[in-house]
Amino acid sequence: MKVQTDSPVAKLHARALHCLKTGRKAEGITLLRQAIDLYPSSGDLHAELASVLGQNGDLEQAAEYYKKAARLAPKQPFIHYACGHFLLETGNAAEAERYFRKTFALMPEEVDALANVGTCLQLQKKFGEAENIFAKTLALQPINIQALYGMGQIYDALGDVSRAFNYFKQANELQSSDPIAKAISLRAFPAVINTFRNLIASGATASWTAPPLPDDTPGLAFLVGFPRSGTTLLDQILSGHPDLEVAEEKTGLAAAGNHIIATKKKMVPQALSSLSDEDIQELRRIYFATLKGMGVSLRPGSVFIDKLPLNLIYAPFIHRLFPEAKFILALRHPCDSVLSCYMQLFSINEAMIHFLDLERAARFYDLAFTGWEEAAAALKLKTHIVRYENVVQDLKGEVEAALDFLGLDWHDGMEAFDATARSRRIKTPSSGQVTQKIYSSARGRWHKYREYMGNVPETLRPWIEKFGYEID
């Protein structure tokens, strides 16, 4: 933004940034609007306001401001790129495509913009055009991981299993060789699981007590499961109920955990048994304050669902803070879940790094569910299972059972989950799928890839049988 540093616009902008950094979003938004009133031709200011509005959940206005920013700054590729990303995350692939094309036209060296054009075409099921764009991307940048995953997904959709798997394999091997991935310990997340398992095995949880929650606290439930088990689809369906609020992958629990580490100088599992009632109340305050700061309303009399699949691992921590909380466990055929994780482009961290190798992903699944089962039995967790395959086959029947578990009745708006998804900003790899109607093509996909799955089915056999699925 090219304005004098002591100008009224610059001062308003500086005050807005300070408000946003200190959590005063509403005030920051007001100040950005005032700055725009003084400098209405600034594409940068419009894009900045659009970003804040998007983070605050005002998706319609955010889209308007992004588009206006692009009109005001037609030669600024990064504004077009930001607009494209926002539209893609809100399920507007056709519109997003135009902005990514403009980005690439303005900045041909920005190969990721071209890869995003391919992704937009793929989501529109224009597979031939998408294949051409991804091929062009790879010709310019052979190590473009997004294009490799995109090619794999196209050939998977077309039924060309051999070519699809080859592209997924290339993409995962490239990610594995990245210095950032190499710096991540493969032992870190399993160690966390095993530390919780040791806590459960010690029997220390038998003496846990916690103060009651305030009367105005909404009903609490946690939607957990292995990644790619239908949690995002279920999230969008449940979000169509007026008495339900679902928070998608928020960091309330992480904030509470970080507070434990900072104040107790211990890792979370080692600290749980020594928490006082005052400690628990403070951790609850941090949890709810973090959620509210991220736009979650937490309405009294409603039901709040915290959706983050791998909170499966942290069930003992959740139970320590909220012993009355309910758990919805999303299940899908273990082989389909593991294969789908291998076929998705995730941001790599200590958990997701396990999905770059099929055998390792299967071992991770085994350990994660071992920890969950031990905790669920010892803590007598209130749990209801929702199966992805049943949702696809009988959405209303499967979801009504979950609603009954939560103490709610069916609401007709829940079947319009694709419209719900388009009204929200979804940052999981499932964003493209849940803006479409129910489809069943992902059921039993693993059978087509069995020759490439090595020992994965045998590693998962105990869970396949326990959960009532078939292996043959």
Side-chain angles (χ1 to χ4, degrees):
M1 188 173 63
K2 297 179 181 179
V3 295
Q4 293 181 345
T5 55
D6 60 347
S7 71
V9 172
K11 290 177 180 178
L12 283 169
H13 183 245
R15 287 172 57 199
L17 292 181
H18 178 72
C19 289
L20 295 171
K21 286 178 182 178
T22 54
R24 292 176 289 160
K25 285 185 180 179
E27 189 177 348
I29 289 170
T30 298
L31 290 168
L32 281 174
R33 290 186 190 278
Q34 291 174 4
I36 287 172
D37 288 341
L38 291 178
Y39 192 3
S41 63
S42 170
D44 289 332
L45 280 175
H46 282 79
E48 194 161 358
L49 178 56
S51 176
V52 177
L53 289 169
Q55 293 167 22
N56 209 41
D58 193 343
L59 305 188
E60 187 174 340
Q61 278 214 349
E64 290 178 8
Y65 275 96
Y66 267 126
K67 292 173 188 177
K68 188 170 183 180
R71 290 195 301 272
L72 290 169
K75 300 297 185 183
Q76 290 193 36
F78 294 111
I79 287 180
H80 290 275
Y81 195 81
C83 183
H85 257 298
F86 177 81
L87 292 169
L88 186 58
E89 287 175 352
T90 50
N92 297 303
E95 276 195 289
E97 178 195 338
R98 296 198 295 272
Y99 289 95
F100 286 127
R101 286 188 184 276
K102 180 67 172 179
T103 303
F104 187 68
L106 290 168
M107 188 183 290
E109 65 272 24
E110 185 58 45
V111 180
D112 284 346
L114 188 61
N116 276 303
V117 173
T119 298
C120 292
L121 290 166
Q122 177 194 339
L123 291 172
Q124 296 172 72
K125 300 190 183 301
K126 297 178 180 180
F127 296 132
E129 294 178 57
E131 181 183 1
N132 289 336
I133 291 293
F134 285 136
K136 183 177 178 181
T137 302
L138 293 169
L140 293 169
Q141 189 180 72
I143 60 171
N144 190 285
I145 291 172
Q146 182 179 352
L148 289 169
Y149 275 110
M151 289 291 253
Q153 288 162 355
I154 287 171
Y155 286 120
D156 173 70
L158 296 174
D160 192 336
V161 170
S162 176
R163 293 180 76 178
F165 191 82
N166 181 57
Y167 276 110
F168 292 131
K169 188 170 185 287
Q170 288 183 62
N172 285 308
E173 287 176 349
L174 269 173
Q175 278 202 291
S176 297
S177 66
D178 186 277
I180 294 175
K182 286 188 171 184
I184 296 174
S185 171
L186 290 169
R187 296 188 294 273
F189 213 71
V192 172
I193 299 172
N194 283 322
T195 306
F196 275 117
R197 292 182 64 201
N198 291 338
L199 172 66
I200 295 297
S202 73
T205 61
S207 61
W208 284 359
T209 60
L213 284 161
D215 291 340
D216 62 351
T217 305
L220 292 177
F222 290 79
L223 174 51
V224 300
F226 204 70
R228 305 297 297 165
S229 291
T231 54
T232 302
L233 173 61
L234 186 57
D235 167 358
Q236 303 312 310
I237 295 169
L238 294 173
S239 293
H241 197 293
D243 295 325
L244 268 173
E245 180 166 14
V246 186
E248 184 188 24
E249 308 200 358
K250 304 298 185 187
T251 55
L253 198 66
N258 289 336
H259 181 76
I260 287 178
I261 294 168
T263 57
K264 303 296 183 181
K265 310 303 180 186
K266 296 179 181 178
M267 299 306 292
V268 170
Q270 289 94 338
L272 292 184
S273 294
S274 61
L275 294 178
S276 66
D277 283 0
E278 291 75 19
D279 290 330
I280 291 173
Q281 288 172 331
E282 175 62 8
L283 291 166
R284 289 171 175 172
R285 185 197 66 76
I286 291 169
Y287 173 82
F288 288 124
T290 301
L291 292 174
K292 288 179 180 177
M294 301 178 82
V296 180
S297 63
L298 299 170
R299 294 169 287 128
S302 67
V303 175
F304 169 67
I305 299 179
D306 186 331
K307 175 251 175 179
L308 205 166
L310 281 176
N311 272 346
L312 181 84
I313 308 306
Y314 297 99
F317 183 24
I318 294 168
H319 180 76
R320 186 72 176 106
L321 299 187
F322 307 110
E324 296 305 312
K326 296 180 178 180
F327 289 83
I328 297 176
L329 176 64
L331 285 185
R332 183 183 182 186
H333 193 295
C335 287
D336 274 333
S337 290
V338 165
L339 176 64
S340 188
C341 287
Y342 184 76
M343 294 166 65
Q344 292 297 323
L345 175 56
F346 289 103
S347 296
I348 297 303
N349 56 31
E350 290 178 346
M352 301 299 112
I353 196 167
H354 293 271
F355 302 149
L356 300 179
D357 179 88
L358 269 173
E359 299 275 0
R360 189 188 306 136
R363 293 193 296 272
F364 184 52
Y365 185 104
D366 177 49
L367 181 61
F369 268 99
T370 298
W372 161 261
E373 288 286 322
E374 291 170 355
L379 301 173
K380 298 180 174 58
L381 301 179
K382 302 178 183 69
T383 305
H384 178 81
I385 291 173
V386 174
R387 294 179 185 268
Y388 168 78
E389 295 84 358
N390 292 354
V391 173
V392 171
Q393 186 173 349
D394 179 16
L395 186 155
K396 186 174 181 181
E398 189 72 358
V399 174
E400 274 189 322
L403 291 172
D404 184 62
F405 171 69
L406 297 172
L408 297 171
D409 295 323
W410 172 261
H411 185 270
D412 287 340
M414 301 174 75
E415 287 187 299
F417 69 90
D418 53 327
T420 300
R422 284 191 291 272
S423 70
R424 303 174 75 199
R425 193 175 188 182
I426 304 168
K427 295 188 177 182
T428 74
S430 304
S431 59
Q433 291 98 323
V434 296
T435 54
Q436 306 171 35
K437 293 294 185 183
I438 284 281
Y439 61 94
S440 60
S441 58
R443 291 177 59 194
R445 175 194 278 146
W446 75 276
H447 288 289
K448 297 188 296 183
Y449 288 88
R450 188 160 188 167
E451 66 177 289
Y452 302 100
M453 294 187 70
N455 198 49
V456 167
E458 286 305 313
T459 300
L460 297 175
R461 180 183 286 273
W463 301 106
I464 294 169
E465 294 175 348
K466 178 179 179 61
F467 296 148
Y469 291 105
E470 295 181 357
I471 195 168
D472 297 314

